[in-house]
Every structure is written in structure tokens, then in C-alpha cells.
Amino acid sequence: MLALRAPVQRAVRTTATRAQQIERSLWRLSSRPLCSSAPLAVVPKSRGVVCQTRLELRGFHATTTTSKIVAYKLADIGEGITECEIIQWFVKPGDKVSQFDKICEVASDKATVEITSRYDGIVKKLHYNDNDIALVGKPIVDIELDEQPSDAETAQPPAATTQATASPQAPEAIAAQPPRDFTSDRTNDVIYATPAVRRIAREHSIDLRFVEGTGKSGRILKEDVHRFVEHGESPLTLHPPTKVPGASSIEGDIASDEPRSPFIQANTGATASSASLTSAAAMVAGEDHMASLSPIQRAMFKSMTESLSIPHFRFKDEIELDALMRARQHINSHLLALGDAPVTKLSFMPFFIKAASLALAKYPILNARVVADGTSPPSLLYRAAHNIGVAMDTPGGLLVPNIKHAQTKSLIDIAADLQHLVQKGKAGAISGADLKGGTFTLSNVGMIGGTYLSPVLVSSEVCIGAFGKVQRLPRFETTIVDGVAVERVVPKHILVASWSADHRVVDGATMARFATLYKQLLENPELMLANMR
């Protein structure tokens, strides 16, 4: 019995020690505040704390999920863009959003982008109004979540009251800090319009929510805005809506007997009821008004201002396109019969782009870039890739996406890439990657008109070309008749190519040789074929 007593005593002491450790662990757990609501007061005790709420801290109990407000920031979309214009909102305060739902559409000087949500929750606040300039890295919308996000993304909530008997804030202080909510009076309708249409509406001070769209899915077209300006009347006046009991009308028109003016009025201190359609129509008729530059216009303003420091050397020459037109006709007939080609028809631009790439291989200085940062002597960066930009007249303004590595592509490949860029341009979906890295630019305004042009360089390139319309003109042609050279007048399709080069690094002889080789390649398509790789 004595031999068994010592092991039993050691086991009892071990069990007692383990019980004390478990007790201390439970005490530490019980001292953590597990409240479903903010405590009104915290009173220290000998062990743990007590939260003066309906829920007791000690022990385990069910809690409700704490809602958090996330400040959703405008992400960096690349290309050094620091600000974007809010084109339109797809949500308003109180709307429920899910991940990947569209929040708003923004336009930079590079492209138009739709911003989507990364969270599930309820929209609490919009930080910007339509046509406002939003800064990259700053919040654009607050979203209330059902789950707690990271601390870096959580907006700072108001300070919690620490005592139940705290005195309320003075009414004057509350009135001095109204919440900034720009869209409390928005409708549930989403405006579908291109940036060009929105620009026209701003120029005429028209609120697009009052314009009836005749395009696909109710999209507002340019014609709709022009027709609206000519009538000078609100659709609410032309087509009064039927009021449904219990339903609210647009912009609180139920509380007003007069229809709301569809023209955007300047805030001059006058009340909204004093703004009549007559005065708005008078403003549209010819009074001066200020309009801010769009993001694309601001980019043009900046780049063209920089171009003023570049001395331009200009060169113009005529190109006969008759042989190229016959070759193009044969290729298009083959593509149409083939059926499975990436494109069914070639325009002149793929030939213009490929000829430029072949000529640049002979004169690489025209594909270079001037490097002059002020800290070291000026130098030239010779670029291997022929990323040839094509100026496009998009709904949002002038954009210059480029065909990447044109020196490695066939005519059909270039035509497919060009067709894809044109489609994206019409949809306002040109991305930053499409605009980045251009080394040489071509502009074709012949479908609009004009013959002789003077294109302007951008600071990242040393040469640019532009083409006007193709004209059928009389030209002399030498033929051999009975062994005798005879000159006669024949019709020819003439295209004028206008070139501009940076005269700081490109001399006139180099520009002339390049233009002459370019002319030979287009006038003799077989030479272009012979030089392709």
C-alpha cells in the first residue's frame, strides 16, 4: 500500500495543476468582449470585464454580424493616368450590389472603362456626380458590407458614444456638416449614350435623362439630342407620364405643377422654378457659355502644346494607286471565295501600314525616339518594333491605337488587327494597351475629305504621315506605238501623302528618300510582295 501511495499522490498533483491551467485559459477567454453591439460603458472587475448590454460577456453565445462600410477607391488603370471623368453611374445610394456588378463608367484621356464592384453589399454614398473628375486612389463610392474587410479598406466610422448620458450634439453643428450625397434625386434609369453624345448634350446644356433614345435598347443617339434641341421641349411635356398611386415621379415632379426643365441651369442663386424653357432655348439659340475640356481634349491640349517645341519638316508627294487598286480587288475576290479568312475585305490602310513598315526597315531613324531629359546630352532610341499607330475618330474624340509588330505580320493579319481596333473604337473600348508603345503614326482622313494635310508630331515619335482623299485626275502616260514613244493623257487615281518629321534629327534628304521608297512600294505592289518576310 505504501508503494502505491506515492504514484497516486503524483497523479493527483498533476491533475490539479492541469485543472488550474484550464481555469486560467477559460478566464482569459471570458475577459474578451464578445458583444453584438457597441458597449455603453466598460467597468473593470477583479476578473474580466462586464459589458453593459443585453448580452453577458462570460461564456459563449450567438452574435450578429457587424456591418462595415468600405471606401471603394478608383484603382490605377495604368498609362500614368491620375484622373478620370465620371461618365455615368449605374447605381445610386441604397442599391444592393454584388461582385462584378457595374458601378460606373469613367473616361480618361486614353480610354473609357466600366468600373465593377469587388464586394457584396449596399451602396451608401457616391463621392462624385456625373461629369466630375475623380482622382486615382481616392474613394468613389462607399459600400456597406455584411462581413468585415481589411482595416486598410474600411472607412473610419463616427466615434462611438462612451456614456449613455452623453449630451447630444448641438443642432447648429449638425446643420453645418450636411452629408455630401450627389445622387439622392437620381432615377432608376441608366443613360445609355456614347461620350460624343454626352459632349453634345453638355455643349447645349441638355439633361440626357429627359431625352428619349431611339437607338438599340434605348440608346441615345446624336440625332436624338439634335432633335431635342430643335424642339426645345421636355419629353414630360410632350408625353405626360401616367401617375401610379404610391409611385414617385422623376426628380420630385409630383410636388411641382410645372414640368422640370431638361436644360441644365447654372447655379446663380435663382430658384429652379424661375428657370423657364424660354430662357434655356434662348441660351441654346446662340448665347456664349463655358465648357470644360473632356479627358481626351485635355490630353490633346497637353501633347500638342509639347509639339510646339518640335521643328517640323514637311514633305508631300503624289502616289498613283491604279496598280494597288487592281491588286486589292484580286485579293478581296479571293478572300470572299475563301470563306474562312479572318477578314473578308481589305481596305487601303493595311497596304499603307505594311508599306510604312517596309520603308522603316530601310530608314530606321524614322522609327526612333528623341531622348532628351535635360540631365544628359540628347540621344536617339532606335526601336526594333514597328508599332504603327492609326488615328481614329472615335465617339469620344481622337485616339491613336497602334498595330503591334507590323514588321512581322501579313496584310491579312494587319487587316484583322485593324478591324478589331475599329470595332473597339466604335464601342468606346480602346484600352491603354492598345494606345501604348506607338513608334510611327499614319492618319487617313480621306473618307471625310481634304487633299493636302499638315500632320503634327507627338513628342514620342519623329515622323508622321497623313493621307487625303483619292482623286481621279488626268496624267501624262508614255506608251510605245509602232516603236515610237507617244505621250497621251490618261485618268489616274491619285493620293497625296503628306509627311512631317522632327527636323532636329531628321534631315530633308532622309525624309525624301523614305517618301520615295514608300511611293514605289504602293505604286508597284509586286515590290511590296518581294520585300515581305
Side-chain angles (χ1 to χ4, degrees):
M1 293 297 293
L2 293 176
L4 294 176
R5 181 176 299 174
V8 170
Q9 290 176 347
R10 285 195 298 272
V12 170
R13 287 194 298 270
T14 301
T15 302
T17 302
R18 181 59 178 165
Q20 292 175 356
Q21 293 175 351
I22 294 174
E23 182 180 1
R24 286 195 295 270
S25 299
L26 292 175
W27 175 82
R28 284 194 296 270
L29 288 174
S30 65
S31 64
R32 297 179 182 178
L34 300 175
C35 299
S36 61
S37 60
L40 296 178
V42 178
V43 182
K45 292 280 187 172
S46 60
R47 286 189 178 184
V49 295
V50 175
C51 179
Q52 291 184 352
T53 61
R54 294 181 181 180
L55 300 178
E56 186 67 29
L57 287 178
R58 296 199 174 191
F60 297 96
H61 54 275
T63 61
T64 58
T65 305
T66 303
S67 298
K68 296 294 182 181
I69 297 179
V70 169
Y72 190 27
K73 299 178 181 179
L74 178 61
D76 185 2
I77 58 180
E79 291 293 305
I81 295 173
T82 59
E83 61 183 20
C84 296
E85 180 182 3
I86 302 294
I87 298 298
Q88 66 174 325
W89 287 99
F90 298 113
V91 298
K92 65 181 185 301
D95 286 353
K96 184 174 180 59
V97 294
S98 302
Q99 296 184 44
F100 308 109
D101 285 353
K102 294 189 295 184
I103 294 180
C104 65
E105 182 181 13
V106 300
S108 68
D109 55 357
K110 303 292 185 180
T112 301
V113 181
E114 289 183 349
I115 304 298
T116 58
S117 174
R118 292 193 290 124
Y119 308 104
D120 298 332
I122 298 175
V123 177
K124 301 299 292 183
K125 178 183 178 182
L126 305 182
H127 289 265
Y128 297 96
N129 198 1
D130 290 347
N131 305 320
D132 282 353
I133 302 300
L135 301 179
V136 172
K138 298 297 182 180
I140 57 174
V141 61
D142 290 348
I143 302 177
E144 183 180 9
L145 309 182
D146 291 335
E147 58 184 10
Q148 182 175 355
S150 62
D151 295 338
E153 297 176 337
T154 305
Q156 294 294 334
T161 306
T162 56
Q163 295 184 4
T165 60
S167 59
Q169 189 176 2
E172 293 80 2
I174 297 176
Q177 300 177 355
R180 185 186 181 190
D181 186 2
F182 293 102
T183 58
S184 59
D185 57 349
R186 285 186 60 89
T187 67
N188 291 325
D189 298 329
V190 177
I191 301 172
Y192 294 100
T194 62
V197 174
R198 296 176 183 276
R199 183 178 68 251
I200 295 174
R202 286 198 300 269
E203 291 174 353
H204 292 85
S205 301
I206 299 296
D207 191 339
L208 287 177
R209 286 173 291 185
F210 293 88
V211 180
E212 182 179 357
T214 60
K216 183 178 179 181
S217 301
R219 184 175 294 274
I220 300 175
L221 308 177
K222 293 182 180 179
E223 294 77 8
D224 299 330
V225 178
H226 290 309
R227 188 183 307 112
F228 186 82
V229 172
E230 292 175 0
H231 286 88
E233 294 180 323
S234 168
L236 297 181
T237 305
L238 300 175
H239 308 285
T242 303
K243 294 184 179 180
V244 180
S248 61
S249 63
I250 298 177
E251 301 290 336
D253 286 333
I254 289 181
S256 176
D257 295 331
E258 298 182 1
R260 177 185 174 93
S261 172
F263 297 92
I264 301 173
Q265 302 293 330
N267 185 12
T268 59
T271 60
S273 59
S274 63
S276 64
L277 291 177
T278 304
S279 60
M283 180 180 63
V284 173
E287 293 187 11
D288 297 342
H289 66 282
M290 296 292 293
S292 59
L293 297 180
S294 67
I296 293 180
Q297 288 175 323
R298 289 197 297 271
M300 290 175 57
F301 185 91
K302 180 181 178 181
S303 62
M304 292 299 99
T305 301
E306 295 175 352
S307 298
L308 292 176
S309 63
I310 302 175
H312 285 52
F313 175 82
R314 308 190 189 279
F315 186 91
K316 297 177 175 62
D317 199 5
E318 292 184 352
I319 302 175
E320 295 182 2
L321 296 183
D322 295 87
L324 181 62
M325 295 174 71
R326 290 191 294 269
R328 172 175 170 264
Q329 184 178 2
H330 292 324
I331 294 175
N332 286 340
S333 299
H334 175 71
L335 293 176
L336 186 60
L338 195 60
D340 58 349
V343 292
T344 58
K345 184 179 180 181
L346 292 183
S347 64
F348 285 116
M349 279 306 297
F351 295 94
F352 295 165
I353 294 172
K354 190 61 182 179
S357 177
L358 295 174
L360 288 174
K362 178 81 172 188
Y363 301 98
I365 189 175
L366 298 180
N367 197 54
R369 175 179 183 175
V370 176
V371 178
D373 54 8
T375 60
S376 58
S379 58
L380 277 175
L381 174 63
Y382 284 83
R383 296 177 284 195
H386 296 171
N387 298 337
I388 299 181
V390 180
M392 290 186 179
D393 181 23
T394 68
L398 174 65
L399 292 177
V400 188
N402 58 80
I403 306 292
K404 310 292 185 185
H405 302 282
Q407 77 278 9
T408 64
K409 297 181 178 179
S410 66
L411 288 170
I412 296 179
D413 294 335
I414 294 175
D417 290 351
L418 185 61
Q419 178 177 311
H420 181 62
L421 290 176
V422 170
Q423 292 174 351
K424 294 177 68 175
K426 291 180 178 178
I430 296 290
S431 65
D434 298 325
L435 301 165
K436 184 179 180 180
T439 62
F440 188 90
T441 299
L442 294 177
S443 176
N444 183 11
V445 296
M447 70 287 296
I448 301 175
T451 304
Y452 301 97
L453 307 169
S454 297
V456 181
L457 287 165
V458 293
S459 58
S460 60
E461 299 175 5
V462 298
C463 188
I464 183 175
F467 311 105
K469 62 183 178 181
V470 178
Q471 302 179 89
R472 192 167 184 263
L473 301 173
R475 290 295 183 267
F476 284 102
E477 182 180 70
T478 302
T479 59
I480 305 298
V481 179
D482 298 331
V484 180
V486 178
E487 285 189 342
R488 61 178 181 176
V489 177
V490 296
K492 294 288 185 180
H493 291 87
I494 303 299
L495 173 72
V496 176
S498 303
W499 305 97
S500 294
D502 188 342
H503 210 7
R504 297 175 300 177
V505 294
V506 179
D507 54 69
T510 301
M511 185 71 257
R513 293 188 182 100
F514 171 87
T516 300
L517 175 58
Y518 188 83
K519 175 180 178 178
Q520 292 174 353
L521 292 172
L522 291 182
E523 291 185 343
N524 304 279
E526 62 274 8
L527 293 180
M528 187 186 302
L529 177 63
N531 285 276
M532 288 185 183
R533 298 177 181 178

